[in-house]
Amino acid sequence: VDGLTMSVFAFAHARVREELQNIEWRDRITEIQADYMSRVAQTMAVQTPGCSFIAGSMKLEEPTECWQSGYADLEQRREVRPDTIFRIFSMTKPIVSASILPLIARGKASLSDPICKWLPWFEPSKLRVWAGGGRGRGKEDCEVSKKPITLLDVMRHTSGTFYPANPANGTPGVQDPFLIDSFLKNGVRQAQSPEEFSKRWAQVPLAHEPGRQFTYSPATALIPVIVEKITGMPYEEYLDEVLLRPLGMRNTGFFLKDNEQRGRLANLYERSEPRRGLSYDFKEAERKIFTYERGSALNGDGGMFSTIQDYQRFVRWMLSLEDNRIVPKDLKQSFCQTDHLARQGLAMPEDFLGFASGFGLGTYVTPQGLCGWSGLANTHFVCDQRTGRYAIAMAQCFPFSWRWQELMTVRLRRWEGKVGGPDRTKNLKKPSELSAPE
């Protein structure tokens, strides 16, 4: 064997050994990160009546960790189980946003389409934009919108619609009295159908021009109306056909099917801050927002329920770029990997989530390859696009806090740069040395 052949062999061997070391390092890192997220969820379990947690990897069919703690109903002493049904509130948004992707894939809709194409009451000439009291204007002054709201604006929260802030349950939103009063006077939440909801929303002034900035809002609830206009199908039937049934999400929906499901629905609680030396006190929430009973309005921005097992199926579908059953790979990447805010020089306010982030078409998206979202009663999920790892934690307790999302992702967000190199282990702690946050 000549010297050149030996050199090539040695080089190839070294590259294989380096790659094996990198794989071993990545597995070590993800093991520690998964352990930390579990510890965060265990801390959340102490601060809620009951909690369910699941973590896994796309490399494995079964979860790497799955546990339940506490009670779904304190009075009945009904424990949280893997099939407990949770009110997922705004974790509805990724599901509803994903449901329109098949129509985009088939050319029935485009992200650049103005929504007035299907909902004429959102014609720009009919929309008012709040002047905000600037440039010598009064606090109640509005002007006609200069731009249409596009489907992209709806999906990435740049439509100008908004949530009124509610400190009582932790809802993030605008605090201007004029905008809040307009929202309440138009009875947006009293609408009895998705279409009526959209028409009432069109009467509320926008907080800013469409496309100008990120403002978290219920705009996702316009998607069911748009879908119905395009397909001619009731949205609930459409959603079941294109997404829920193909993914096997039998315990996810807007309306409970029977008494068996009602018996698995977790109760909703409010937490009071603990007195010194004592544990947290919980009382049943006075207002539960949604009944999940047929006859009530279908709410596309927060009105769904699910189990942790069902939501895991949805998360795994998001992460699997090989699964093209519902939408092609490139559209799925656009949904949960592409930052559609950054493309126009926009970003989510850093104090919103507690860390720097952009937004895809249904979840936040970070430079480190993370995506995820949360729900008002403290349901949270996070996915790591680089490693295929995911974690979901579900509780049923007000007030809401983004803090849990921030804590679940903190170690993932700190891990930047290329894998490999001998110096990357110097500050690494063993899983046994990791402590849960206070």
Side-chain angles (χ1 to χ4, degrees):
V1 179
D2 60 30
L4 177 61
T5 303
M6 288 295 292
S7 297
V8 170
F9 177 79
F11 176 77
H13 179 73
R15 288 298 302 270
V16 170
R17 183 174 60 187
E18 180 184 358
E19 184 58 28
L20 288 173
Q21 288 175 341
N22 283 347
I23 291 172
E24 181 181 352
W25 175 254
R26 282 194 292 265
D27 288 345
R28 174 67 171 147
I29 288 295
T30 52
E31 174 189 337
I32 291 172
Q33 291 166 342
D35 180 84
Y36 179 78
M37 286 191 287
S38 178
R39 289 174 181 269
V40 171
Q42 289 167 19
T43 306
M44 187 168 78
V46 174
Q47 299 184 21
T48 60
C51 182
S52 187
F53 177 79
I54 199 166
S57 166
M58 293 302 293
K59 298 176 183 178
L60 304 170
E61 288 295 324
E62 297 298 320
T64 55
E65 187 165 357
C66 180
W67 53 260
Q68 286 74 43
S69 173
Y71 294 96
D73 192 292
L74 290 171
E75 186 177 358
Q76 298 176 8
R77 309 304 284 178
R78 175 162 51 90
E79 295 182 350
V80 175
R81 303 184 310 182
D83 66 348
T84 293
I85 292 175
F86 291 86
R87 309 154 199 266
I88 61 173
F89 289 103
S90 283
M91 273 170 52
T92 298
K93 289 182 174 70
I95 295 175
V96 170
S97 295
S99 74
I100 201 169
L101 298 182
L103 297 178
I104 295 174
R106 284 157 41 196
K108 301 292 185 181
S110 168
L111 292 176
S112 61
D113 283 337
I115 64 171
C116 59
K117 176 178 179 179
W118 308 286
L119 313 178
W121 42 93
F122 277 99
E123 284 281 352
S125 61
K126 299 177 181 178
L127 296 178
R128 294 177 298 151
V129 179
W130 179 52
R135 304 186 303 278
R137 307 290 295 271
K139 290 186 177 181
E140 298 185 7
D141 283 353
C142 295
E143 48 197 33
V144 175
S145 178
K146 299 180 180 68
K147 295 175 61 180
I149 297 172
T150 65
L151 182 57
L152 177 60
D153 288 325
V154 167
M155 298 181 76
R156 69 177 182 178
H157 295 278
T158 55
S159 66
T161 57
F162 59 89
Y163 278 112
N166 185 349
N169 61 24
T171 299
V174 304
Q175 300 182 20
D176 180 79
F178 169 67
L179 290 177
I180 294 175
D181 188 56
S182 297
F183 180 93
L184 297 175
K185 279 184 176 178
N186 281 282
V188 176
R189 285 304 190 197
Q190 282 69 55
Q192 294 303 302
S193 69
E195 182 166 328
E196 184 187 348
F197 172 89
S198 71
K199 289 179 176 178
R200 292 191 182 205
W201 241 126
Q203 302 302 311
V204 179
L206 302 177
H208 53 77
E209 281 285 349
R212 200 187 81 184
Q213 67 185 61
F214 175 93
T215 299
Y216 188 47
S217 82
T220 311
L222 300 176
I223 291 176
V225 200
I226 294 170
V227 166
E228 290 182 346
K229 296 295 183 182
I230 295 173
T231 66
M233 296 172 63
Y235 180 71
E236 188 184 8
E237 180 182 328
Y238 168 85
L239 179 65
D240 187 62
E241 180 178 303
V242 303
L243 197 63
L244 301 185
R245 206 185 316 151
L247 296 183
M249 298 172 68
R250 299 181 182 87
N251 288 295
T252 300
F254 294 97
F255 308 113
L256 296 163
K257 297 174 184 176
D258 50 38
N259 287 333
E260 192 276 333
Q261 280 195 340
R262 292 183 185 92
R264 289 190 283 122
L265 178 65
N267 209 342
L268 184 57
Y269 294 91
E270 296 174 357
R271 183 187 71 236
S272 61
E273 290 303 312
R275 289 165 289 176
R276 183 172 296 180
L278 298 177
S279 60
Y280 290 91
D281 291 327
F282 305 101
K283 65 175 183 177
E284 188 172 339
E286 293 181 10
R287 184 170 178 265
K288 299 180 182 177
I289 305 179
F290 303 113
T291 66
Y292 307 104
E293 294 294 339
R294 196 164 296 282
S296 59
L298 184 151
N299 186 284
D301 69 297
M304 295 187 79
F305 58 82
S306 189
T307 64
I308 202 162
Q309 296 168 324
D310 267 14
Y311 216 88
Q312 179 193 215
R313 294 181 178 97
F314 177 70
V315 166
R316 289 182 65 91
W317 170 77
M318 281 176 49
L319 282 172
S320 175
L321 296 180
E322 287 73 41
D323 185 352
N324 295 317
R325 288 176 296 166
I326 299 170
V327 294
K329 173 182 175 179
D330 59 341
L331 194 50
K332 195 184 292 185
Q333 286 178 312
S334 182
F335 177 71
C336 59
Q337 293 186 19
T338 302
D339 184 352
H340 289 276
L341 291 176
R343 287 186 163 192
Q344 287 187 237
L346 305 175
M348 294 174 67
E350 195 161 325
D351 60 358
F352 187 85
L353 293 175
F355 52 89
S357 176
F359 204 85
L361 298 175
T363 71
Y364 68 74
V365 176
T366 76
Q368 299 87 3
L370 306 181
C371 69
W373 205 243
S374 300
L376 187 60
N378 284 299
T379 57
H380 309 270
F381 81 94
V382 60
C383 305
D384 188 338
Q385 307 280 356
R386 304 160 303 175
T387 65
R389 291 270 183 171
Y390 59 88
I392 309 167
M394 290 188 172
Q396 297 284 264
C397 192
F398 294 149
F400 168 78
S401 176
W402 286 114
R403 176 173 175 264
W404 301 113
Q405 186 71 244
E406 182 182 2
L407 291 172
M408 285 174 71
T409 61
V410 63
R411 288 181 179 266
L412 300 175
R413 288 182 285 106
R414 286 176 180 172
W415 183 249
E416 300 182 50
K418 295 180 180 178
V419 176
D423 61 331
R424 293 189 182 277
T425 59
K426 61 183 180 181
N427 296 320
L428 193 60
K429 293 183 178 181
K430 300 176 183 177
S432 59
E433 295 173 339
L434 293 173
S435 58
E438 294 298 324

